[in-house]
Amino acid sequence: MNRFADVILPLPLYRYFTYRVPEEMQGHLRQGHRVVVSFGRSKFYTAIVVALHDSEPQGYEVKEIATLLDDEPIVLRPQLKFWEWIAEYYLCSVGDVYKAALPSGLKLESETSLTINADFEEEADDRLTEREAVLMQALSAQGRLTVHELEKATGLRNTLPVLRRLVEREAIFVSERLRANYKPKTEVCVRLTFGQGDNDALRNAFDMVRRAKQQETLLLSFLDLSHFMQAGCYTEVSRAALLARAGVSPAVLAGLVNKGIMETYKREVSRFAPVQRACTPMPVLSGEQTRAYNEIFATLHDKSVTLLHGVTSSGKTEIYIHVIDAILKQGRQVLYLVPEIALTTQLTERLQKVFGDKLLIYHSRFSDNERVELWQKLLRSREPRVVLGVRSSVFLPFHNLGFVIVDEEHETSYKQYDPAPRYHARNAAIVLAQMYGAKVLLGSATPAVESYYNALSGKYGLVELHTRYANNPLPEVRIVDMREQRRKRLVKGNFSEPLLDQIRGALKREEQVILFQNRRGFAPMVECRECAWIPKCTQCDVSLTYHKRDNRLVCHYCGYSCEVPRICPACLQPTIEVRGFGTERIEEDVETLFPEVPLARMDMDTTRSRNAYQEIIDDFAAGKSKILIGTQMVTKGLDFDRVSIVGILSADSMLSFPDFRAHERAFQMMAQVAGRSGRGKSRGVVLLQTSQPELPLISQVINHDYVGMYNDQLSQREQFGYPPFTRLIYIYLKHRDEAVLDTLSQRYATMLRKVFGERVLGPDNPPVARIQSLYIRKIMLKVEVTASMAQVKELLRQIYERSLMDDSFKSLTLYYDVDPM
Ligand code: ADP
Ligand code: ZN
Ligand code: ZN
């Protein structure tokens, strides 16, 4: 008899809570089921069952589970194990992990806000029940309500199960900002009334529209969009896409329908990808690539992780495609992690062509409904599938995971900063894979120092590709000494003479240019020429960024903004000046220097909407814009044939960043952006502007010398005791009152030192020492890599609990960041 259930609540609580299982649920209830429970003062939450047992907890009154939400468990056993590992290793609660793992639509609670779907139509065979109708009415009258408010408004109780069904039918939405991007589930499509290869019917159709020019255009557009003439490669065509392509009105389509040539129908659309049948054969691997492919499987024979280190354009993606194919053929599932999906549309298309509907995509800009749909799809099917996803796709419910690929494994966006769990998706994926008995392939042209170290020390397998596909040459990197350029007064705006020459040449040859600047905005800061006053955010301890477009100063942490003062508030002189440069400033320089040339800028500010990124890329790929200016975004997996010049505007700003990984990152960014140049037979040129050409790192970039960079960085890490020679844990302390915080963090550090001794450093002011009115201090803990995290966690927990014996510590917020980036 299992009369009790331990559950995970979506709250930052460090333990499971036990509830009584009502008689009618006994025997049904299983691990991974969602149940509704009350917690605290009459609040309801969706909780996850982790264990069933028969030992009654002592010391408090055990409440009963209110409702069981599922027929089948919604979280699988390996996932629960994975959640526990994350909580253990990253020093957070399982509730935090649960909150991050499940889409909101799957974890309704009293505070969840809901809105109605105005487009919802009842189906004849699936009418709303009376309770459902009452809830719908209240919602449509009120616009937006929380579950709690909705229950008050309708007088109904225990509505979560009913609401769950309404969410699943998309009658209501769990509200969120991305609502505007919601796509309907069905769309109207167009097809011909005859089949592919029926040439008589096709000829007949053309005869019938000979006198109707617009109808003929529509028919031709259809043939083009649907690939009707290419045997076996037929694509469904939506009415909207067809009318847009043909540039005609719906009346023209109606004409063709009346003539019996075309018909319309509704189709279910998966929101993840346009349904497309696989229609491109896999690429044939070159000799080098075949060797690498075989080595990958050979090394994975006795290792669980292999690192594929291949220069840009060596064909890593083509190799991944072959690996995926092999795993799918074994009937297993593949997780293909990428740093940011908005940046990989070219990749998505490539995969879709090969894998068709076996490919599922987990987009970083998905709405919650889309997340729920993908979750359910994976839960219900054991089919071999490949999921292309961002960081959080490690939380998806795989039944049958056989392989994980982590592309661009060095990318820092794999690490979640805020909120908890502060996990690293690459490292977490390696643990996830172990739980499924799956293998892992990490890939990069510029691996993280830690990963390369693991590969050289034999923990991971190592496979290398030293040449580009088809022996295309690596780009030539040329240094521009900015000190000399300035002395000779050859600098215009932020451009040196050689860089301008190269751009002019490229434009004359009808080629394209990418300009890389590691900061967005117009200029990183505004400064007083006289007294060096710098405007800072009133909420956060960061200097404000100048935005030219609206002549304002903006805080990139909290969004605070204000006008640029004309008089310096410190020395009261009219000596405020804009200094330095960001992408917006580069854009202005280019507009002045090349007034006739169409250009595009790509950074966080220009790519906020879901499609903006795609439009910028498409325009550049089509040659509509000639110069592309961008931040890190342009360093990622883009592939343009006509780019012959890449300009790196300032290596210095990357090198001066106060972080032990600054040089590694600068190398990675420069190597990746350089890799965008000359992707074909012709050798691309990269111009690297710097005031410190003598730095070893600069020669390493010129010589494509990853190993040289690695050796330098590794010896520094060893000397100063940084990863991979130690494990770092940052302990963050936050408080409203700075003086109190200083005292408390000093005392906390002392308590830590009693246990961890020399391993404790700080407290320090982090680079951003105040966010949204809370002051922040950071204590750094360097522990041996061999130390058990369970033991470290236990010690930290004891110290924290001891601190709470003093009431003043109770007002402090404390959290950990393990393996910070
Ligand atoms: P990486 O991922 O290493 O940067 P890609 O896989 O994107 O390299 O390959 C770079 C370019 O070379 C792409 O345009 C790709 O289509 C082409 N390419 C690589 N390998 C092959 C192959 N075996 N057959 C045809 N084209 C290839
Ligand atoms: Zn701020
Ligand atoms: Zn001043």
Side-chain angles (χ1 to χ4, degrees):
M1 280 299 275
N2 288 323
R3 289 181 300 130
F4 299 96
D6 295 342
V7 306
I8 307 174
L9 286 161
L11 297 168
L13 302 166
Y14 279 82
R15 59 189 197 83
Y16 297 136
F17 282 78
T18 306
Y19 287 81
R20 189 183 299 282
V21 181
E23 217 151 289
E24 72 275 11
M25 273 181 224
Q26 288 178 14
H28 299 296
L29 197 62
R30 282 194 281 151
Q31 187 189 47
H33 264 139
R34 285 178 304 165
V35 290
V36 177
V37 297
S38 74
F39 185 81
R41 254 196 265 143
S42 73
K43 285 236 174 97
F44 282 90
Y45 294 95
T46 301
I48 306 286
V49 175
V50 277
L52 292 158
H53 56 83
D54 208 24
S55 55
E56 180 155 13
Q58 303 301 315
Y60 62 94
E61 195 207 333
V62 184
K63 291 187 199 162
E64 195 158 79
I65 291 175
T67 317
L68 168 60
L69 287 178
D70 305 305
D71 299 327
E72 292 294 319
I74 197 149
V75 183
L76 306 173
R77 185 183 297 269
Q79 288 182 284
L80 290 171
K81 256 173 71 190
F82 181 58
W83 291 8
E84 276 175 17
W85 177 82
I86 291 204
E88 177 82 33
Y89 185 85
Y90 291 103
L91 303 176
C92 64
S93 75
V94 185
D96 284 330
V97 186
Y98 162 33
K99 273 189 353 196
L102 245 67
S104 317
L106 293 179
K107 46 173 200 246
L108 294 174
E109 57 185 53
S110 307
E111 300 307 315
T112 307
S113 11
L114 302 168
T115 50
I116 199 155
N117 176 4
D119 298 329
F120 176 73
E121 281 174 35
E122 261 181 85
E123 303 277 332
D125 53 354
D126 192 10
R127 292 260 169 234
L128 293 177
T129 66
E130 201 175 319
R131 269 165 81 84
E132 287 171 341
V134 171
L135 292 168
M136 292 285 283
Q137 259 162 24
L139 260 185
S140 84
Q142 304 277 332
R144 165 195 297 239
L145 291 175
T146 65
V147 172
H148 182 69
E149 290 162 347
L150 189 59
E151 290 188 345
K152 258 171 65 185
T154 56
L156 295 177
R157 316 218 73 218
N158 195 11
T159 58
L160 290 187
V162 186
L163 293 171
R164 188 211 76 189
R165 277 197 301 280
L166 289 172
V167 168
E168 276 170 12
R169 286 157 71 185
E170 299 186 353
I172 58 178
F173 295 120
V174 170
S175 43
E176 29 147 0
R177 276 162 291 136
L178 291 164
R179 198 31 203 97
N181 291 321
Y182 176 74
K183 273 208 259 161
K185 243 188 158 175
T186 56
E187 79 184 347
V188 178
C189 289
V190 178
R191 64 185 165 216
L192 295 178
T193 50
F194 46 89
Q196 253 181 315
D198 188 346
N199 290 334
D200 287 343
L202 187 63
R203 221 170 296 126
N204 193 24
F206 272 105
D207 282 344
M208 286 167 79
V209 298
R210 211 171 26 202
R211 277 193 202 81
K213 252 285 82 13
Q214 292 198 317
Q215 291 185 0
E216 192 180 59
T217 308
L218 192 75
L219 187 54
L220 284 167
S221 304
F222 176 85
L223 296 182
D224 185 27
L225 284 175
S226 63
H227 307 291
F228 194 79
M229 308 307 282
Q230 288 155 255
C233 206
Y234 178 79
T235 314
E236 291 188 284
V237 176
S238 77
R239 181 171 59 188
L242 178 61
L243 294 177
R245 166 66 73 92
V248 301
S249 73
V252 179
L253 175 61
L256 282 170
V257 172
N258 282 338
K259 285 182 179 163
I261 298 172
M262 285 184 172
E263 60 193 15
T264 61
Y265 62 100
K266 268 194 184 177
R267 96 166 166 174
E268 287 257 321
V269 289
S270 159
R271 304 188 185 97
F272 315 122
V275 175
Q276 191 186 46
R277 262 170 248 165
C279 65
T280 311
M282 291 212 295
V284 177
L285 293 184
S286 69
E288 265 297 274
Q289 292 169 345
T290 307
R291 171 194 56 84
Y293 175 86
N294 290 331
E295 276 180 36
I296 288 169
F297 284 101
T299 50
L300 285 176
H301 196 69
D302 54 355
K303 306 237 150 96
S304 39
V305 183
T306 278
L307 173 64
L308 173 61
H309 173 215
V311 296
T312 53
S313 268
S314 52
K316 294 185 290 299
T317 314
E318 307 295 342
I319 293 175
Y320 300 153
I321 290 174
H322 280 258
V323 170
I324 294 166
D325 186 61
I327 305 299
L328 293 178
K329 287 203 173 111
Q330 294 169 12
R332 302 187 75 185
Q333 297 172 325
V334 180
L335 171 60
Y336 185 162
L337 281 172
V338 287
E340 163 62 80
I341 253 188
L343 307 182
T344 51
T345 30
Q346 290 180 334
L347 174 64
T348 312
E349 282 167 16
R350 214 150 127 199
L351 293 175
Q352 231 152 37
K353 286 195 184 130
V354 181
F355 298 112
D357 58 7
K358 285 207 180 72
L359 175 71
L360 299 177
I361 296 166
Y362 199 61
H363 203 291
S364 56
R365 296 188 186 179
F366 265 5
S367 72
D368 195 69
N369 281 75
E370 290 167 316
R371 286 170 200 269
V372 172
E373 195 176 321
L374 182 55
W375 189 285
Q376 303 279 19
K377 198 170 196 164
L378 279 171
L379 202 61
R380 280 194 299 259
S381 97
R382 287 165 182 278
E383 282 166 56
R385 295 211 186 254
V386 47
V387 176
L388 177 69
V390 291
R391 183 170 71 207
S392 56
S393 53
V394 295
F395 292 118
L396 289 169
F398 296 98
H399 277 287
N400 194 8
L401 187 65
F403 207 94
V404 180
I405 295 168
V406 186
D407 194 14
E408 309 290 354
E409 63 84 31
H410 64 279
E411 277 287 334
T412 49
S413 52
Y414 280 125
K415 178 78 177 13
Q416 170 147 325
Y417 290 85
D418 212 39
R422 296 177 173 80
Y423 65 104
H424 193 298
R426 174 195 63 212
N427 300 348
I430 290 173
V431 173
L432 179 76
Q434 261 165 23
M435 290 173 180
Y436 282 93
K439 300 288 185 178
V440 182
L441 179 63
L442 310 179
S444 174
T446 53
V449 165
E450 288 88 339
S451 300
Y452 204 66
Y453 177 79
N454 282 332
L456 291 187
S457 65
K459 188 169 167 194
Y460 298 167
L462 178 62
V463 176
E464 304 205 77
L465 281 167
H466 298 288
T467 53
R468 285 188 153 185
Y469 173 64
N471 277 318
N472 289 335
L474 279 164
E476 177 191 348
V477 184
R478 296 185 197 154
I479 291 190
V480 182
D481 183 342
M482 291 305 276
R483 283 174 311 201
E484 183 189 304
Q485 289 285 311
R486 282 205 196 88
R487 215 177 315 119
K488 296 185 179 159
R489 307 206 167 275
L490 291 173
V491 181
K492 293 203 180 77
N494 291 294
F495 289 79
S496 63
E497 188 59 30
L499 180 53
L500 285 175
D501 273 351
Q502 289 294 334
I503 297 174
R504 282 187 209 110
L507 294 173
K508 206 175 285 166
R509 296 188 303 271
E510 296 279 306
E511 293 162 355
Q512 290 174 304
V513 176
I514 290 181
L515 298 174
F516 171 68
Q517 171 55 37
N518 191 29
R519 284 178 183 158
R520 63 191 166 118
F522 180 76
M525 50 202 205
V526 161
E527 191 185 40
C528 170
R529 190 165 8 108
E530 285 301 314
C531 74
W533 172 85
I534 290 169
K536 291 211 161 172
C537 176
T538 53
Q539 307 287 314
C540 316
D541 180 33
V542 285
S543 37
L544 297 170
T545 302
Y546 178 60
H547 280 238
K548 171 94 196 327
R549 184 148 301 159
D550 36 28
N551 194 36
R552 288 181 83 78
L553 296 164
V554 179
C555 171
H556 281 178
Y557 280 82
C558 75
Y560 165 86
S561 82
C562 64
E563 268 176 45
V564 180
R566 253 179 297 150
I567 306 288
C568 170
C571 69
L572 305 178
Q573 300 292 308
T575 42
I576 298 291
E577 227 176 41
V578 177
R579 197 169 61 83
F581 51 75
T583 41
E584 226 176 301
R585 173 68 180 269
I586 304 296
E587 182 181 26
E588 200 186 78
D589 284 355
V590 173
E591 273 166 0
T592 320
L593 293 161
F594 303 97
E596 305 295 308
V597 180
L599 61 88
R601 174 163 66 91
M602 183 158 76
D603 55 32
M604 292 260 281
D605 295 318
T606 61
T607 54
R608 286 195 198 287
S609 74
R610 187 161 170 161
N611 298 322
Y613 173 82
Q614 192 55 45
E615 281 162 17
I616 295 172
I617 296 295
D618 288 348
D619 282 358
F620 193 63
K624 281 190 209 159
S625 46
K626 301 286 180 201
I627 300 181
L628 177 65
I629 301 160
T631 54
Q632 285 98 298
M633 280 190 184
V634 300
T635 66
K636 309 211 173 140
L638 298 174
D639 205 351
F640 304 109
D641 317 331
R642 274 178 290 180
V643 174
S644 61
I645 302 296
V646 165
I648 297 173
L649 284 143
S650 166
D652 307 332
S653 63
M654 290 182 267
L655 293 169
S656 61
F657 203 75
D659 186 302
F660 73 92
R661 288 194 179 91
H663 281 224
E664 177 192 349
R665 292 237 180 95
F667 181 91
Q668 285 162 342
M669 267 192 262
M670 289 192 268
Q672 296 278 351
V673 73
R676 305 302 127 215
S677 177
R679 302 273 294 184
K681 277 279 166 239
S682 60
R683 189 164 192 209
V685 173
V686 180
L687 276 95
L688 198 171
Q689 300 191 149
T690 177
S691 308
Q692 301 155 273
E694 65 284 349
L695 281 182
L697 191 94
I698 298 293
S699 353
Q700 286 153 5
V701 173
I702 299 175
N703 299 322
H704 307 286
D705 181 13
Y706 172 82
V707 175
M709 182 283 293
Y710 167 81
N711 286 329
D712 272 7
Q713 294 306 308
L714 197 74
S715 64
Q716 301 219 354
R717 304 266 189 105
E718 183 157 31
Q719 190 182 343
F720 296 105
Y722 280 113
F725 300 100
T726 56
R727 171 174 289 138
L728 295 184
I729 300 172
Y730 289 168
I731 301 165
Y732 285 99
L733 306 157
K734 290 191 182 180
H735 201 280
R736 274 184 191 283
D737 186 318
E738 190 167 20
V740 174
L741 179 63
D742 272 326
T743 320
L744 291 182
S745 47
Q746 287 293 353
R747 284 177 55 197
Y748 207 84
T750 308
M751 293 169 69
L752 286 163
R753 279 201 179 86
K754 277 198 191 119
V755 176
F756 292 102
E758 299 282 278
R759 298 178 187 86
V760 181
L761 297 148
D764 253 329
N765 290 15
V768 179
R770 190 178 168 215
I771 292 179
Q772 300 196 339
S773 295
L774 284 177
Y775 290 89
I776 309 168
R777 294 294 177 267
K778 183 185 89 189
I779 301 174
M780 184 156 87
L781 188 60
K782 276 184 181 175
V783 295
E784 292 83 339
V785 273
T786 48
S788 131
M789 279 305 275
Q791 204 184 345
V792 171
K793 184 179 187 175
E794 179 54 25
L795 290 170
L796 287 171
R797 193 188 58 77
Q798 285 170 13
I799 294 168
Y800 181 64
E801 282 184 0
R802 213 172 309 141
S803 81
L804 292 184
M805 299 204 294
D806 179 339
D807 274 350
S808 51
F809 276 99
K810 286 185 179 152
S811 57
L812 197 67
T813 307
L814 182 145
Y815 62 87
Y816 304 98
D817 188 1
V818 179
D819 300 340
M821 293 292 283

